[in-house]
C-alpha cells in the first residue's frame, strides 16, 4: 500500500502505509510497485501534510518544466482543490482554466477530458496565463513576463491573443535558484539540516535549552530529506537574498550588511510568545491599578 500526499506547488509524497491508515482512493497506475501491489493508496494534500515526516515517503511532482507529466497525481490535486479548498461540486460550476502560453495540444486535450468525463463540469473555458495577466492590468495588448517556481516565459499578447511563434521560454526559475543556492552551501561544507532531524528543548521563557539529534528517522527517504532541505533553503532565499540593481562588484558587495537568519517557524513562535506575555503583563498592571485606585477611594 502507498500513501500519497501532495503539497506546495503540487509536490506529491508517497510512502508505504502502516496499520491504521485509511484507504481513501485506489492506487494510481503510476504509483510505486509497493502501492500497486496492495491496490490501495491514501492521498492528502497541502504543505502541512509534508511538514510531518513519515516513514518511507517519497516526494514527486506532477508538473515538470511547467507542464503536467503525471495526470494521476494531478487529479488528486484537483480533487483536493474542489473538495477541501473550494468545497464545491464541480458538476454545478463552469470552469475557467489557466494554462501556460507554451502548453501543448496533448496536455490541453487531456485536461478537457478529465474535466468533462471525471468532474462532469457543464462548461470549460481555457485561457493563457499571459492573457489573464494582461487583462488584470486592464490591457488587451502587452508583453508579459511570467517568472515562477517552475519556469520563466515571455509572451506577447495582441488584442487578447498570444502570438505563439513569439513565445520565449527559459528554464531559469525559482526552483533552479534554490537548487543552486543549496549546491553553493554544500560546496562550502555547510550542512542544511531540516527541522525534523532535530529535537529542541525549550525553557519557559521560550529560549532554547538544548538541541539534540532526532531518533527514529532512519526510514526517511532521500527525496523527502532533499525536499525539506530545499524548503529551508528557499526560506533563506526569500528572507535574505536580493537582486542586485547594478553589475556585481566585490568591493561594494562586501559592504552589504549581514543579517542573522531565523527559521520562519521559530520566528513565528517567538512572536506568539511575546504577544501572549505582553497581554498577560498588561492585564496584571490593569488589575493592580484598579485594586490600588479602589483601595484609595475606600480610604478616602
Amino acid at each position: 500500500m502507498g500513501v500519497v500526499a501532495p503539497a506546495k506547488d503540487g509536490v506529491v509524497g508517497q510512502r508505504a502505509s502502516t496499520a491504521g491508515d485509511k484507504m481513501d482512493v485506489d492506487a494510481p497506475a503510476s504509483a510505486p510497485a509497493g502501492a500497486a501491489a496492495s491496490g490501495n493508496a491514501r492521498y492528502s494534500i497541502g504543505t502541512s501534510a509534508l511538514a510531518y515526516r513519515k516513514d518511507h515517503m517519497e516526494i514527486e511532482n506532477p508538473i515538470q518544466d511547467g507542464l503536467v507529466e503525471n495526470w494521476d497525481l494531478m487529479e488528486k490535486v484537483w480533487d483536493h482543490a474542489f473538495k477541501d479548498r473550494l468545497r464545491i461540486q464541480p458538476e454545478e460550476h463552469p470552469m475557467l482554466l489557466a494554462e501556460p502560453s507554451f502548453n501543448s495540444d496533448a496536455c490541453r486535450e487531456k485536461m478537457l477530458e478529465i474535466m468533462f468525463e471525471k468532474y462532469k463540469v457543464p462548461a470549460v473555458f481555457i485561457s493563457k496565463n499571459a492573457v489573464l495577466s494582461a487583462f488584470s492590468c486592464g490591457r488587451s495588448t502587452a508583453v508579459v513576463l511570467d517568472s515562477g517556481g517552475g519556469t520563466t516565459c515571455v509572451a506577447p499578447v495582441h488584442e487578447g491573443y498570444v502570438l505563439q511563434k513569439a513565445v520565449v521560454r527559459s528554464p531559469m526559475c525559482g526552483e533552479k535558484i534554490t537548487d543552486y543556492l543549496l549546491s553553493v552551501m554544500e560546496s562550502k561544507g555547510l550542512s542544511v539540516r531540516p527541522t525534523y532531524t532535530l529535537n529542541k528543548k525549550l525553557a519557559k521563557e521560550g529560549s532554547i535549552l538544548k538541541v539534540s539529534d532526532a531518533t527514529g528517522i532512519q526510514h526517511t527517504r532521500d527525496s523527502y530529506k532533499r525536499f525539506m532541505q530545499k524548503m529551508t533553503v528557499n526560506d533563506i532565499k526569500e528572507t535574505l537574498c536580493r537582486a542586485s540593481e547594478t553589475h556585481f562588484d566585490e568591493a561594494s558587495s562586501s559592504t552589504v550588511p549581514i543579517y542573522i537568519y531565523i527559521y520562519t517557524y521559530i520566528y513565528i513562535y517567538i512572536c506568539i510568545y511575546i504577544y501572549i506575555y505582553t497581554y498577560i503583563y498588561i492585564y496584571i498592571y490593569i488589575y493592580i491599578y484598579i485594586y490600588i485606585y479602589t483601595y484609595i477611594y475606600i480610604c478616602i
Side-chain angles (χ1 to χ4, degrees):
M1 271 171 277
V3 176
V4 183
K8 183 180 179 181
D9 295 332
V11 174
V12 174
Q14 298 182 341
R15 72 174 177 89
S17 62
T18 58
D21 283 339
K22 296 180 180 179
M23 307 306 172
D24 297 332
V25 296
D26 292 336
S30 58
S38 64
N40 290 283
R42 180 188 175 193
Y43 293 81
S44 57
I45 304 175
T47 51
S48 59
L50 291 184
Y52 297 96
R53 189 201 63 83
K54 303 178 182 67
D55 290 341
H56 309 293
M57 183 163 65
E58 297 284 355
I59 303 299
E60 296 183 6
N61 196 331
I63 300 177
Q64 300 293 335
D65 297 327
L67 297 177
V68 179
E69 297 291 340
N70 191 324
W71 289 99
D72 293 320
L73 298 182
M74 196 66 212
E75 287 183 29
K76 305 308 174 186
V77 177
W78 283 333
D79 289 341
H80 172 72
F82 293 143
K83 179 181 177 181
D84 300 327
R85 296 302 177 186
L86 297 176
R87 298 183 179 180
I88 62 172
Q89 297 296 329
E91 61 270 15
E92 298 177 358
H93 300 272
M95 294 293 166
L96 170 61
L97 302 178
E99 64 174 358
S101 301
F102 49 85
N103 198 23
S104 63
D105 293 338
C107 288
R108 188 179 300 108
E109 292 174 2
K110 183 64 177 180
M111 185 165 53
L112 288 173
E113 175 186 336
I114 294 174
M115 286 296 157
F116 283 121
E117 295 186 3
K118 178 178 180 179
Y119 296 110
K120 310 296 183 183
V121 298
V124 175
F125 183 82
I126 301 177
S127 182
K128 304 289 187 183
N129 287 332
V131 174
L132 296 177
S133 298
F135 285 169
S136 68
C137 298
R139 297 179 178 272
S140 60
T141 300
V143 176
V144 179
L145 170 62
D146 184 4
S147 183
T151 186
T152 297
C153 173
V154 179
V157 179
H158 178 71
E159 296 299 332
Y161 292 93
V162 173
L163 305 180
Q164 291 294 142
K165 293 184 178 181
V167 174
V168 179
R169 293 178 60 187
S170 171
M172 182 56 63
C173 57
E175 291 183 3
K176 293 291 190 298
I177 297 176
T178 301
D179 292 337
Y180 176 73
L181 179 58
L182 179 57
S183 65
V184 169
M185 296 174 67
E186 291 177 339
S187 65
K188 294 185 177 182
L190 300 176
S191 176
V192 180
R193 299 190 61 181
T195 54
Y196 75 87
T197 63
L198 302 172
N199 283 332
K200 296 184 290 292
K201 185 177 181 180
L202 302 178
K204 291 184 179 180
E205 64 275 9
S207 60
I208 299 177
L209 293 178
K210 181 181 179 182
V211 178
S212 59
D213 294 334
T215 58
I217 60 173
Q218 63 272 17
H219 297 299
T220 304
R221 297 296 178 87
D222 291 338
S223 62
Y224 180 78
K225 178 182 178 181
R226 195 68 177 178
F227 170 74
M228 293 303 294
Q229 285 180 327
K230 290 173 65 174
M231 291 288 288
T232 303
V233 173
N234 184 71
D235 190 71
I236 295 175
K237 179 190 70 176
E238 295 179 353
T239 305
L240 302 179
C241 296
R242 63 184 180 88
S244 177
E245 297 179 357
T246 60
H247 294 290
F248 177 77
D249 180 66
E250 187 172 355
S252 60
S253 298
S254 61
T255 61
V256 175
I258 298 175
Y259 299 94
I260 298 177
Y261 171 73
I262 301 178
Y263 195 63
T264 303
Y265 294 115
I266 299 177
Y267 178 75
I268 293 174
Y269 177 83
I270 294 175
C271 291
I272 294 175
Y273 171 83
I274 295 174
Y275 178 82
I276 293 175
Y277 275 85
T278 300
Y279 270 87
I280 291 176
Y281 289 137
I282 291 175
Y283 286 137
I284 291 175
Y285 291 146
I286 292 175
Y287 176 79
I288 294 174
Y289 175 80
I290 295 175
Y291 179 80
I292 295 175
Y293 180 81
T294 305
Y295 179 78
I296 295 174
Y297 178 79
I298 294 175
C299 292
I300 295 175

